[in-house]
Amino acid sequence: MTVSGPGTPEPRPATSGASSVEQLRKEGNELFKCGDYEGALGAYTQALGLDATPQDQAILHRNRAACHLKLEDYDKAETEASKAIEKDGGDVKALYRRSQALEKLGRLDQAVLDLQRCVSLEPKNKVFQEALRNIGGQIQEKVRYMSSTDAKVEQMFQILLDPEEKGTEKKQKASQNLVVLAREDAGAEKIFRSNGVQLLQRLLDTGETDLMLAALRTLVGICSEHQSRTVATLSILGTRRVVSILGVENQAVSLAACHLLQVMFDALKEGVKKGFQGKEGAIIVDPARELKVLISNLLDLLTEVGVSGQGRDNALTLLIKAVPRKSLKDPNNSLTLWVIDQGLKKILEVGGSLQDPPGELAVTANSRMSASILLSKLFDDLKCDAERENFHRLCENYIKSWFEGQGLAGKLRAIQTVSCLLQGPCDAGNRALELSGVMESVIALCASEQEEEQLVAVEALIHAAGKAKRASFITANGVSLLKDLYKRSEKDSIRIRALVGLCKLGSAGGTDFSMKQFAEGSTLKLAKQCRKWLCNDQIDAGTRRWAVEGLAYLTFDADVKEEFVEDAAALKALFQLSRSEERSVLFAVASALVNCTNSYDYEEPDPKMVELAKYAKQHVPEQHPKDKPSFVRARVKKLLAAGVVSAMACMVKTESPVLTSSCRELLSRVFLALVEEVEDRGTVVAQGGGRALIPLALEGTDVGQTKAAQALAKLTITSNPEMTFPGERIYEVVRPLVSLLHLNCSGLQNFEALMALTNLAGISERLRQKILKEKAVPMIEGYMFEEHEMIRRAATECMCNLAMSKEVQDLFEAQGNDRLKLLVLYSGEDDELLQRAAAGGLAMLTSMRPTLCSRIPQVTTHWLEILQALLLSSNQELQHRGAVVVLNMVEASRQIASTLMESEMMEILSVLAKRDQSPVTRAAAACLDKAVEYGLIQPNQDGE
């Protein structure tokens, strides 16, 4: 018996009682052969839902296993194969498939049992014998590795826990080796089973930074993607103990603890998704409960006295990543509701805490922004009005509890909390502003003699100015107050904030040149003052951040943009500030850059609609003369010369919740503007733009990911991808490029993605496999029928390069499709570039799959004319590709060669063979030689 490979569903003799099951199974087989594994899976599933016999069910389950193997979902492949085995314990194909799935899952001991059963059932089957030898070798290697690490693990812990070895190089090397060993699953398992967690706990208890870091990094390896070890680790160490490490003053230790907790969250959330099953298949404690215990401890940490500001920020970061749903398609937001009920007041307490003067809770300059982002994400995760109303009620009750009866300190705390809400879920902030006395207190405190009180009030006024409900009120009542503060205050910290408030109100018209809030020249004066403060190193980063906020609003004005990009010192200061610890400046920096590069969405108004609006005396937005393309291009070049790409690359690397999806989108927009001109792309790549774009294309808003993907496509088209994306990065580029092939993207984005994928497909088989894995082939085939000639041509070129892969050749060789016909017909098109692409694909396919040669005459009656036209073309490339196709056909079959020699083809080949030596001449001569060998033609007296 010959065993089908893991990706070959089995045929079955038809039975009289299951015609519809049989039909669906055949349909699934055809879809499988065409590479549509999802479609095949659907057909087999549908067939199982019918009245299938036990034999049919066994076949369908093992066919489904084959689909899951192809889709690399090995858990499901194992499940399906097991169901087939339940129907028939001697089903050798199902046993073989299950062994493959188990091997991929790392369960070698179980995989070998299935293979031994296969060999006992079919002793002469070489496929089974070879698979058994391979897996036996893997098991022996694992045993050797595990036995050799036994002594090593013990020795490492002895060195690390020896008080005599304190600070020695030997101790440092032992800690590094332990971390490296834990990165491999087998090593992590060995450490875990060698009482490792208890020993690591002793390292944590030493309080020595190096040993604590080594212990935390080793624990990361133990817990990574392994829920049962994660739960056991939390049980041994104590959830409270692990979380408390976040709060230490040492930043490196706090960050390492943050990384460990993130890994634990990922393992537990995966456990919730999979139904309490670990990587090794053990049944464990309910991970949902463990998840809540972990989150509860993080919420407690937020308001714990003695916790470092950095630790509080790390706790907020973990909550931002762990609590809200990853996708709104997931209907379950129960974790968010639980966190709002249990911890909203604690989050608001952090958001309302002052950095200066220090209060009970230690906070950093980034704490309030992190709290705002968490609140915003929680609010966005709510599904109905009742849930949102509960959120508003809890916020309002908290603010009232501080505002009423707590004196001036309570009012300040309440106003600071309102500011936090305005920066996050602004609906909640607006409602809080409308509480009795809040807005009046803000206005009153702006005139306070105390700087701390003024700062809180002015910041609240600034945040309120950007919200639609309050902007008109503040424009009427707050502008004179802000102007007075700006002119009369002796403190730069107050003046700069007052200026930002004025900037915010002055930019209400956006890019509309006809709607200016201030008198001529006032905007430029404000911008000049912002740049002056930005460049002043004597002012702290937290205050200079407000200067960037002001410029983010003022740069809507094109005159301000022009002056800003000419100011080299201001640009340098901006980029330095973006690299500082003051992470809350990132959004303002990105906004200013978007404005300078005009990378916001702008559509030219329809001239007819403009005339109609003027006739109706409606306002018509006007573009500033200095926002025309020539000015924008000049500004882009100045930003590139100032080092904008390296600054943005550093911003992208930021491990902070401040780098929100909206901020990522702004950076993506700027990058796309920077690579618009071909001559600028080399500078972008040299400054690290290629590396920075990959994470932007993989995470963020849909618009941001699309913009970043398009920028990646432009770089891939015009530069060497292997230089632009060195090492493994080149494989990460494929998914963003494939995303541009979807129908919701523009024609330009489709075209650029196809061109970029063509370049990648020509580099290596591994890259071609990556493109196939991302399911790009059906979309590329669709674009081969596109009406737009450039898109059609790009798709054909891409398919030509992909044709070097066996899987694509299989698609062309499969019966019942028109893929080959399309290439033959395109080889006869008037578009020379399309001809070249199609003929190249045809030459490649007929070389790799000679069986296709006999099918060319069957796909169209015009095949001979098309090949003759290629050979008679004045284009050498087309001639060569046509000659290779003809040579492949002649070598494939005497019958086809006879048909060709009986036509005008022989005369054309004879003429071409007599020309000067070239690839075309050699191919033509080889055709004639083969015809002579077949006895179809005779050489003349000269031997020609």
Side-chain angles (χ1 to χ4, degrees), residues 637-653:
K637 292 191 183 300
K638 286 168 186 170
L639 286 170
L640 285 168
V644 67
V645 176
S646 55
M648 288 170 63
C650 287
M651 290 167 70
V652 173
K653 291 176 187 173

PDB file of all heavy atoms in Angstrom, residues 637-653:
ATOM      1  N   LYS A 637      12.409  67.194   2.327  1.00  0.00           N
ATOM      2  CA  LYS A 637      13.867  67.075   2.156  1.00  0.00           C
ATOM      3  C   LYS A 637      14.608  67.712   3.331  1.00  0.00           C
ATOM      4  O   LYS A 637      15.645  67.195   3.786  1.00  0.00           O
ATOM      5  CB  LYS A 637      14.287  67.709   0.824  1.00  0.00           C
ATOM      6  CG  LYS A 637      13.789  66.916  -0.378  1.00  0.00           C
ATOM      7  CD  LYS A 637      14.401  67.379  -1.679  1.00  0.00           C
ATOM      8  CE  LYS A 637      13.816  66.613  -2.856  1.00  0.00           C
ATOM      9  NZ  LYS A 637      14.058  65.155  -2.765  1.00  0.00           N
ATOM     10  N   LYS A 638      14.081  68.814   3.851  1.00  0.00           N
ATOM     11  CA  LYS A 638      14.733  69.464   4.994  1.00  0.00           C
ATOM     12  C   LYS A 638      14.609  68.595   6.258  1.00  0.00           C
ATOM     13  O   LYS A 638      15.552  68.513   7.056  1.00  0.00           O
ATOM     14  CB  LYS A 638      14.106  70.838   5.229  1.00  0.00           C
ATOM     15  CG  LYS A 638      14.536  71.864   4.175  1.00  0.00           C
ATOM     16  CD  LYS A 638      13.703  73.134   4.225  1.00  0.00           C
ATOM     17  CE  LYS A 638      14.073  74.045   3.056  1.00  0.00           C
ATOM     18  NZ  LYS A 638      13.139  75.180   2.905  1.00  0.00           N
ATOM     19  N   LEU A 639      13.465  67.960   6.426  1.00  0.00           N
ATOM     20  CA  LEU A 639      13.288  67.069   7.577  1.00  0.00           C
ATOM     21  C   LEU A 639      14.224  65.865   7.480  1.00  0.00           C
ATOM     22  O   LEU A 639      14.806  65.441   8.482  1.00  0.00           O
ATOM     23  CB  LEU A 639      11.836  66.600   7.656  1.00  0.00           C
ATOM     24  CG  LEU A 639      10.809  67.632   8.140  1.00  0.00           C
ATOM     25  CD1 LEU A 639       9.390  67.108   7.924  1.00  0.00           C
ATOM     26  CD2 LEU A 639      11.019  67.966   9.606  1.00  0.00           C
ATOM     27  N   LEU A 640      14.377  65.310   6.272  1.00  0.00           N
ATOM     28  CA  LEU A 640      15.282  64.173   6.083  1.00  0.00           C
ATOM     29  C   LEU A 640      16.714  64.564   6.410  1.00  0.00           C
ATOM     30  O   LEU A 640      17.448  63.814   7.057  1.00  0.00           O
ATOM     31  CB  LEU A 640      15.188  63.658   4.643  1.00  0.00           C
ATOM     32  CG  LEU A 640      13.942  62.855   4.299  1.00  0.00           C
ATOM     33  CD1 LEU A 640      13.826  62.653   2.795  1.00  0.00           C
ATOM     34  CD2 LEU A 640      13.952  61.503   4.998  1.00  0.00           C
ATOM     35  N   ALA A 641      17.107  65.768   5.956  1.00  0.00           N
ATOM     36  CA  ALA A 641      18.472  66.241   6.224  1.00  0.00           C
ATOM     37  C   ALA A 641      18.701  66.466   7.714  1.00  0.00           C
ATOM     38  O   ALA A 641      19.818  66.310   8.217  1.00  0.00           O
ATOM     39  CB  ALA A 641      18.716  67.545   5.453  1.00  0.00           C
ATOM     40  N   ALA A 642      17.631  66.784   8.442  1.00  0.00           N
ATOM     41  CA  ALA A 642      17.746  67.035   9.886  1.00  0.00           C
ATOM     42  C   ALA A 642      17.768  65.750  10.708  1.00  0.00           C
ATOM     43  O   ALA A 642      17.980  65.795  11.918  1.00  0.00           O
ATOM     44  CB  ALA A 642      16.592  67.927  10.344  1.00  0.00           C
ATOM     45  N   GLY A 643      17.519  64.583  10.076  1.00  0.00           N
ATOM     46  CA  GLY A 643      17.572  63.306  10.786  1.00  0.00           C
ATOM     47  C   GLY A 643      16.241  62.834  11.335  1.00  0.00           C
ATOM     48  O   GLY A 643      16.185  62.136  12.353  1.00  0.00           O
ATOM     49  N   VAL A 644      15.154  63.174  10.629  1.00  0.00           N
ATOM     50  CA  VAL A 644      13.830  62.808  11.128  1.00  0.00           C
ATOM     51  C   VAL A 644      13.630  61.296  11.189  1.00  0.00           C
ATOM     52  O   VAL A 644      12.949  60.794  12.096  1.00  0.00           O
ATOM     53  CB  VAL A 644      12.722  63.469  10.259  1.00  0.00           C
ATOM     54  CG1 VAL A 644      12.712  62.907   8.839  1.00  0.00           C
ATOM     55  CG2 VAL A 644      11.347  63.286  10.889  1.00  0.00           C
ATOM     56  N   VAL A 645      14.233  60.541  10.260  1.00  0.00           N
ATOM     57  CA  VAL A 645      13.985  59.089  10.211  1.00  0.00           C
ATOM     58  C   VAL A 645      14.550  58.394  11.440  1.00  0.00           C
ATOM     59  O   VAL A 645      13.879  57.559  12.063  1.00  0.00           O
ATOM     60  CB  VAL A 645      14.569  58.473   8.917  1.00  0.00           C
ATOM     61  CG1 VAL A 645      14.385  56.961   8.923  1.00  0.00           C
ATOM     62  CG2 VAL A 645      13.911  59.075   7.689  1.00  0.00           C
ATOM     63  N   SER A 646      15.778  58.727  11.819  1.00  0.00           N
ATOM     64  CA  SER A 646      16.379  58.062  12.985  1.00  0.00           C
ATOM     65  C   SER A 646      15.605  58.417  14.261  1.00  0.00           C
ATOM     66  O   SER A 646      15.443  57.577  15.150  1.00  0.00           O
ATOM     67  CB  SER A 646      17.853  58.438  13.131  1.00  0.00           C
ATOM     68  OG  SER A 646      18.004  59.841  13.178  1.00  0.00           O
ATOM     69  N   ALA A 647      15.097  59.660  14.332  1.00  0.00           N
ATOM     70  CA  ALA A 647      14.293  60.047  15.499  1.00  0.00           C
ATOM     71  C   ALA A 647      12.999  59.239  15.550  1.00  0.00           C
ATOM     72  O   ALA A 647      12.592  58.744  16.608  1.00  0.00           O
ATOM     73  CB  ALA A 647      13.972  61.542  15.437  1.00  0.00           C
ATOM     74  N   MET A 648      12.346  59.077  14.400  1.00  0.00           N
ATOM     75  CA  MET A 648      11.098  58.300  14.351  1.00  0.00           C
ATOM     76  C   MET A 648      11.354  56.824  14.636  1.00  0.00           C
ATOM     77  O   MET A 648      10.530  56.153  15.254  1.00  0.00           O
ATOM     78  CB  MET A 648      10.427  58.477  12.986  1.00  0.00           C
ATOM     79  CG  MET A 648       9.808  59.855  12.800  1.00  0.00           C
ATOM     80  SD  MET A 648       9.273  60.145  11.106  1.00  0.00           S
ATOM     81  CE  MET A 648       8.029  58.905  10.905  1.00  0.00           C
ATOM     82  N   ALA A 649      12.483  56.314  14.172  1.00  0.00           N
ATOM     83  CA  ALA A 649      12.827  54.905  14.439  1.00  0.00           C
ATOM     84  C   ALA A 649      12.956  54.673  15.945  1.00  0.00           C
ATOM     85  O   ALA A 649      12.513  53.642  16.466  1.00  0.00           O
ATOM     86  CB  ALA A 649      14.132  54.536  13.730  1.00  0.00           C
ATOM     87  N   CYS A 650      13.528  55.634  16.662  1.00  0.00           N
ATOM     88  CA  CYS A 650      13.628  55.524  18.131  1.00  0.00           C
ATOM     89  C   CYS A 650      12.244  55.586  18.770  1.00  0.00           C
ATOM     90  O   CYS A 650      11.974  54.888  19.743  1.00  0.00           O
ATOM     91  CB  CYS A 650      14.494  56.657  18.682  1.00  0.00           C
ATOM     92  SG  CYS A 650      16.243  56.454  18.337  1.00  0.00           S
ATOM     93  N   MET A 651      11.363  56.418  18.217  1.00  0.00           N
ATOM     94  CA  MET A 651      10.002  56.534  18.752  1.00  0.00           C
ATOM     95  C   MET A 651       9.255  55.209  18.621  1.00  0.00           C
ATOM     96  O   MET A 651       8.534  54.784  19.517  1.00  0.00           O
ATOM     97  CB  MET A 651       9.238  57.645  18.026  1.00  0.00           C
ATOM     98  CG  MET A 651       9.741  59.040  18.359  1.00  0.00           C
ATOM     99  SD  MET A 651       9.106  60.318  17.229  1.00  0.00           S
ATOM    100  CE  MET A 651       7.384  60.381  17.714  1.00  0.00           C
ATOM    101  N   VAL A 652       9.448  54.538  17.481  1.00  0.00           N
ATOM    102  CA  VAL A 652       8.755  53.269  17.231  1.00  0.00           C
ATOM    103  C   VAL A 652       9.194  52.203  18.227  1.00  0.00           C
ATOM    104  O   VAL A 652       8.411  51.335  18.621  1.00  0.00           O
ATOM    105  CB  VAL A 652       8.999  52.799  15.779  1.00  0.00           C
ATOM    106  CG1 VAL A 652       8.443  51.400  15.554  1.00  0.00           C
ATOM    107  CG2 VAL A 652       8.367  53.768  14.793  1.00  0.00           C
ATOM    108  N   LYS A 653      10.455  52.258  18.640  1.00  0.00           N
ATOM    109  CA  LYS A 653      10.989  51.251  19.567  1.00  0.00           C
ATOM    110  C   LYS A 653      10.493  51.441  21.000  1.00  0.00           C
ATOM    111  O   LYS A 653      10.733  50.594  21.863  1.00  0.00           O
ATOM    112  CB  LYS A 653      12.525  51.302  19.572  1.00  0.00           C
ATOM    113  CG  LYS A 653      13.167  50.835  18.287  1.00  0.00           C
ATOM    114  CD  LYS A 653      14.671  51.012  18.364  1.00  0.00           C
ATOM    115  CE  LYS A 653      15.344  50.713  17.031  1.00  0.00           C
ATOM    116  NZ  LYS A 653      16.777  51.042  17.068  1.00  0.00           N
TER     117      LYS A 653
END
